């Protein structure tokens, strides 16, 4: 499922609570710009970004995903997005453990007190797609909505499906989000099998549109799958700058964090070409390269 | 463009596809007392279990899925050494019952078992890619849409679109939480419907391109997708209608051409009303007069498998010229005024174009149009 070069990234964001990006990036790439000093609020403070209304019973993963999308579209802090519904915008979210804490908590409540003690407001949260559908609901994105739970490779699976959605005319624009929580349930389930490094909470978002090669409007960041031998010197992922070694493992969000980081390095830091190497068994590779100029 | 269905396999409370269709024609309900959890704690007394094994045993969804994959691989002569084969699995609850078991007993497991990569690669070694799409009750409809896109773009020779789901305590409790009394029978589109029951199940179809030379069961005209972006749990007529219109636009067909609708029909207050009104708005207002059937009164709600269970039934309607009645439907709900439902007895019909509906939690909608080869 490695289609032709068909996507441009028009915006991207990282939302990595409690992580100071600067030391590791400075050591490897030189001191980064202000984007790397952006403070990401933890899920319990998400209302300062998203506004207070609608926060009740929102999963930590959902809150981080909303924060990442909020930031990518430059919505002012504390405000809900004000634009009209976007029936041509699709949402693709990659996450594996987004709702396991709720599932475990609800199960323990049923066992101890019975189902009548469970809140119906948790009903959406026991279905894993709550993150993707909440992003759509919050921002009015009415095209296809996909929740990818494929494991470590979820993010690049999501990118491949975003590409497919655009090429198949199912969306004009895809909001790709990766998010993973690191609550005690998620952390313990992850650690039981995966070993080191530890699970780390975080979210990232990349907005993707159809590439129209040669058109000025597509000046920006071209995103395409490629062979490993064609990756440039700057690579995010195994064998390159591996975020997991510095900050912890974002698991289902891993590849989208890598994409957003690569986008900052390619465009904001002027490296022009950055590769992303997938770390799951399928090991896809992605090349991000700046094209033209957005004047 | 269009794609073909080379093979289809399902597992429901009745067994395989042939057994399920025979039960539907008889109007049987596969409802049994709930064997998972405790009725008193869940306020759920009935379900549609598949198989006869202990429903508390973990990773059963993957086992049902593997059975369906083996069936379609055999029937469509899928050879992963010669063909590029992609597997897309749609699921509502993945293997989250293992998380629940861990929460109560501490029984650990490999976190990668929450999705179906390993079980698929064991059942069908050599597949190129395995992707799990957790899209609630329309998950396998989404897998089907993407499968068609992939074969039409020539990026796979065969895409196995799948669905798999068993039950979780947490979802059962949510169903029980909103029901005044435990539901004992799913009554799709009935005025007196009182809620949904879960059904275990799995499904797989082999989607191939138009150049396929092997046997085929049906032609996929298109699947339309949309998201309501409206409400977390309440379906939206406009969002559902957009997925229907997307399907017709992609297929280049008119709504009036639909002869049969295999509806989502969960038997819940909100879904059946919204689905009925969307069918009236898109199909009837365009001059259509389709027959409408639904299976959940017999099979329960098979969640992520539901769309492909409906598709298997649609394929058998195309082949056999008989449409099963809706088990549990006695008096049609008022919002469905003007729609023609299959009630009581099988209806003789050899449909030209069949519409298959699937709508999920969070407003994720998938509507498929299918016709005879």
């Amino acid at each position: 499922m490695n289609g032709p070069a068909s996507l441009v990234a028009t915006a991207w964001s990282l939302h990595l609570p409690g992580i100071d990006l600067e030391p590791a990036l400075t050591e490897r790439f030189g001191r980064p710009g202000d984007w790397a000093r952006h403070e990401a609020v933890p899920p319990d403070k998400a209302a300062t970004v998203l506004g207070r209304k609608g926060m009740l019973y929102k999963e930590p993963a959902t809150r981080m995903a909303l924060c990442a999308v909020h930031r990518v579209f430059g919505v002012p802090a504390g405000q809900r997005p004000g634009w009209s519904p976007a029936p041509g915008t699709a949402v693709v979210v990659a996450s594996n453990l987004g709702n396991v804490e709720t599932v475990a908590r609800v199960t323990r409540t049923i066992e101890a007190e019975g189902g009548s003690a469970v809140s119906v407001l948790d009903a959406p949260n026991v279905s894993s797609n709550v993150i993707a559908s909440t992003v759509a609901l919050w921002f009015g994105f009415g095209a296809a909505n996909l929740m990818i739970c494929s494991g470590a490779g979820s993010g690049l699976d999501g990118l491949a499906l975003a590409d497919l959605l655009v090429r198949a005319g199912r969306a004009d624009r895809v909001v790709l989000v990766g998010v993973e929580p690191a609550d005690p349930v998620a952390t313990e389930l992850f650690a039981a099998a995966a070993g080191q490094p530890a699970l780390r909470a975080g979210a990232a978002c990349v907005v993707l549109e159809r590439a129209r090669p040669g058109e000025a409007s597509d000046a920006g960041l071209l995103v395409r799958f490629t062979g490993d031998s064609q990756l440039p010197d700057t690579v995010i992922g195994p064998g390159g700058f591996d975020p997991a070694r510095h900050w912890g493992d974002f698991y289902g969000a891993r590849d989208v964090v890598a994409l957003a980081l690569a986008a900052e390095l390619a465009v904001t830091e002027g490296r022009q070409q950055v590769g992303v190497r997938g770390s799951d068994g399928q090991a896809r590779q992605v090349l991000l390269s700046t094209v033209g100029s957005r004047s | 463009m269009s794609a073909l269905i080379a093979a289809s396999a399902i597992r429901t409370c009745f067994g395989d596809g042939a057994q399920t269709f025979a039960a539907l024609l008889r109007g049987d309900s596969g409802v049994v007392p709930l064997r998972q959890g405790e009725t008193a704690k869940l306020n759920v007394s009935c379900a549609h279990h598949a198989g006869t094994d202990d429903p508390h045993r973990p990773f059963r969804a993957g086992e049902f899925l593997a059975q369906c994959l083996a069936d379609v691989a055999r029937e469509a002569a899928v050879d992963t050494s010669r063909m590029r084969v992609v597997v897309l699995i749609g699921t509502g609850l993945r293997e989250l019952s293992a998380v629940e078991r861990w929460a109560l007993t501490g029984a650990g497991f490999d976190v990668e078992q929450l999705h179906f990569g390993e079980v698929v690669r064991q059942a069908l070694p050599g597949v190129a890619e395995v992707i799990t799409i957790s899209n609630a009750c329309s998950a396998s409809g989404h897998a089907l849409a993407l499968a068609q896109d992939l074969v039409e773009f020539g990026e796979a020779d065969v895409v196995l679109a799948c669905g798999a789901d068993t039950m979780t305590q947490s979802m059962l409790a949510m169903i029980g939480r909103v029901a005044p009394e435990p539901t004992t029978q799913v009554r799709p589109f009935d005025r007196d419907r009182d809620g949904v029951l879960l059904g275990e199940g799995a499904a797989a179809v082999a989607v191939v391109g138009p150049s396929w030379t092997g046997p085929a069961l049906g032609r996929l005209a298109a699947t339309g997708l949309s998201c309501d972006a409206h409400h977390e749990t309440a379906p939206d007529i406009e969002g559902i209608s957009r997925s229907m219109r997307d399907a017709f636009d992609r297929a280049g067909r008119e709504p009036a051409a639909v002869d049969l609708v295999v509806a989502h029909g969960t038997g819940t207050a909100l879904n059946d009303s919204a689905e009925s009104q969307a069918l009236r708005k898109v199909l009837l207002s365009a001059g259509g007069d389709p027959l409408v059937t639904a299976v959940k009164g017999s099979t329960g709600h098979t969640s992520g498998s539901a769309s492909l269970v409906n598709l298997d039934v649609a394929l058998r309607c195309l082949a056999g010229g008989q449409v099963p009645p809706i088990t549990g439907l006695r008096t049609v709900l008022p919002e469905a005024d003007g729609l023609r439902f299959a009630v009581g007895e099988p209806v003789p019909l050899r449909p030209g174009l069949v519409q298959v509906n699937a709508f999920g939690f969070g407003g994720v909608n998938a509507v498929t149009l299918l016709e005879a080869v």
Side-chain angles (χ1 to χ4, degrees):
Chain A
M1 204 191 303
N2 292 345
S6 57
L7 292 172
V8 288
T10 57
W12 44 86
S13 71
L14 289 159
H15 187 86
L16 307 174
I19 294 178
D20 182 359
L21 298 175
E22 199 165 357
L25 291 174
T26 300
E27 183 186 333
R28 182 66 176 260
F29 302 110
R31 191 167 186 265
D34 286 345
W35 64 272
R37 284 175 284 282
H38 170 73
E39 188 178 346
V41 300
D44 61 348
K45 300 280 197 306
T48 62
V49 174
L50 303 170
R52 300 200 68 79
K53 193 177 174 198
M55 282 294 100
L56 192 64
Y57 279 88
K58 286 284 182 289
E59 297 269 8
T62 301
R63 291 173 181 224
M64 285 189 285
L66 290 172
C67 285
V69 181
H70 184 103
R71 177 170 163 76
V72 89
F73 285 109
V75 184
Q79 288 186 23
R80 287 286 287 261
W83 54 71
S84 53
T89 299
V91 177
V92 178
V93 176
S95 179
N96 300 313
L97 301 170
N99 70 335
V100 293
E101 193 277 334
T102 294
V103 169
R105 175 172 45 78
V106 167
T107 305
R108 288 168 176 152
T109 302
I110 296 163
E111 180 72 8
E113 305 170 61
S116 59
V118 169
S119 171
V120 290
L121 292 174
D122 254 334
N125 298 329
V126 299
S127 186
S128 301
N129 73 318
V130 65
I131 307 169
S133 60
T134 304
V135 168
L137 175 60
W138 197 270
F139 293 92
F141 300 147
N145 187 277
L146 301 175
M147 184 76 212
I148 311 302
C149 303
S150 297
S154 292
L156 293 189
D157 285 350
L159 180 67
L161 294 180
D163 182 56
L164 190 62
L165 290 175
V166 169
R167 281 188 289 137
R170 295 187 183 276
D172 305 322
R173 179 173 68 167
V174 180
V175 177
L176 174 66
V177 179
V179 63
E180 207 70 87
D183 55 71
V185 173
T187 300
E188 193 168 337
L189 289 175
F190 183 78
Q196 300 298 323
L199 183 67
R200 185 79 197 224
C205 177
V206 180
V207 180
L208 300 154
E209 296 180 18
R210 181 171 198 154
R212 296 172 189 82
E215 289 186 21
S217 63
D218 266 350
L221 188 61
L222 194 66
V223 179
R224 64 184 175 92
F225 289 102
T226 187
D228 195 48
S229 62
Q230 294 168 316
L231 289 186
D233 292 339
T234 305
V235 170
I236 309 298
F241 180 84
D242 192 350
R245 285 180 48 218
H246 299 281
W247 305 315
D249 194 335
F250 301 105
Y251 194 29
R254 188 189 294 169
D255 295 337
V256 187
V257 169
L259 286 169
L261 192 57
E264 294 286 11
L265 291 172
V267 177
T268 320
E269 300 299 320
R271 292 189 167 253
Q272 298 190 330
Q273 284 206 325
V274 179
V276 170
R277 185 176 288 127
S279 50
D280 73 316
Q282 297 180 25
R284 302 173 198 263
Q285 275 72 238
V286 180
L287 178 65
L288 289 77
S289 49
T290 54
V291 286
S293 61
R294 284 183 173 270
S295 56
Chain B
M1 290 199 287
S2 66
L4 299 170
I5 301 289
S8 173
I10 61 172
R11 289 290 181 281
T12 73
C13 56
F14 298 111
D16 65 14
Q19 291 167 322
T20 301
F21 196 69
L24 288 167
L25 289 175
R26 292 193 301 268
D28 289 353
S29 170
V31 69
V32 294
L34 182 70
R35 303 205 307 256
Q36 177 179 347
E38 299 173 46
T39 294
K41 284 182 171 170
L42 297 168
N43 196 36
V44 177
S45 60
C46 297
H48 296 251
H49 291 283
T52 56
D53 58 330
D54 175 9
H56 292 99
R57 191 161 52 81
F59 307 115
R60 292 168 67 248
E63 293 175 18
F64 293 135
L65 172 65
Q67 293 169 15
C68 292
L69 278 171
D71 286 354
V72 292
R74 185 179 59 250
E75 288 172 24
V78 173
D79 180 353
T80 55
S81 68
R82 290 188 304 110
M83 304 167 172
R84 293 167 301 158
V85 180
V86 172
V87 181
L88 304 176
I89 305 113
T91 178
L93 301 170
R94 302 186 280 160
E95 298 280 22
L96 287 171
S97 57
V99 174
E100 299 189 326
R101 188 181 62 136
W102 169 86
L104 299 180
T105 69
F109 61 94
D110 184 336
V111 74
E112 290 284 303
Q113 287 180 277
L114 284 178
H115 58 86
F116 301 98
E118 189 179 324
V119 78
V120 168
R121 291 184 186 281
Q122 282 181 355
L124 208 59
V127 297
E129 293 180 45
V130 184
I131 297 178
T132 298
I133 301 167
S134 190
N135 259 42
C137 306
S138 57
S140 58
H142 283 75
L144 185 65
L146 300 168
Q148 180 168 3
D149 293 344
L150 281 173
V151 298
E152 287 184 349
F153 282 123
E155 290 181 33
D157 298 314
V158 181
V159 182
L160 302 174
C162 309
D165 259 305
T166 49
M167 305 179 197
T168 58
Q169 300 286 299
S170 48
M171 185 57 81
L172 285 165
M174 292 304 167
I175 290 169
R177 189 74 177 74
V178 297
E181 296 293 329
T183 301
T184 56
Q185 171 66 50
V186 180
R187 301 190 181 284
F189 301 106
D190 195 277
R191 183 190 61 191
D192 301 319
R193 65 199 182 282
D194 60 0
V196 71
L197 295 171
L198 292 184
E200 298 174 326
V205 293
V207 181
V208 296
S211 61
W212 178 256
T213 55
L217 302 175
R219 184 181 305 280
L220 264 179
T223 296
L225 301 177
S226 75
C227 179
D228 288 355
H230 174 73
H231 191 277
E232 283 172 346
T233 54
D236 176 50
I237 297 166
E238 178 50 33
I240 290 172
S241 299
R242 278 195 292 112
S243 63
M244 292 182 188
R245 292 196 191 98
D246 186 37
F248 291 114
D249 288 347
R250 304 182 78 79
R253 306 294 292 267
E254 295 298 324
V258 173
D259 300 308
L260 173 65
V261 176
V262 184
H264 190 57
T266 59
T268 55
L270 294 175
N271 178 82
D272 288 2
S273 172
E275 183 170 17
S276 297
Q277 292 179 75
L279 286 171
R280 288 172 56 182
K281 182 174 176 178
V282 178
L283 268 58
L284 297 198
S285 69
D289 183 28
L291 184 67
V292 181
T293 192
V295 308
K296 292 181 181 62
S298 293
T299 65
H301 192 340
T302 51
S303 192
S305 312
S307 179
L308 290 179
V309 168
N310 278 357
L311 189 84
D312 191 274
V313 169
L315 289 166
R316 292 174 193 279
C317 291
L318 286 174
Q322 277 197 306
V323 175
I326 301 176
T327 301
L329 176 55
R330 294 175 299 202
T331 308
V332 172
L333 75 167
E335 299 95 311
D337 186 36
L339 288 170
R340 198 158 51 86
F341 290 95
V343 185
E345 298 291 329
V347 179
L349 178 73
R350 198 166 283 278
L353 189 65
V354 184
Q355 176 176 330
V356 173
N357 289 349
F359 312 117
F361 238 20
V364 286
N365 309 311
V367 171
T368 298
L369 297 172
L370 177 76
E371 57 197 346
V373 178

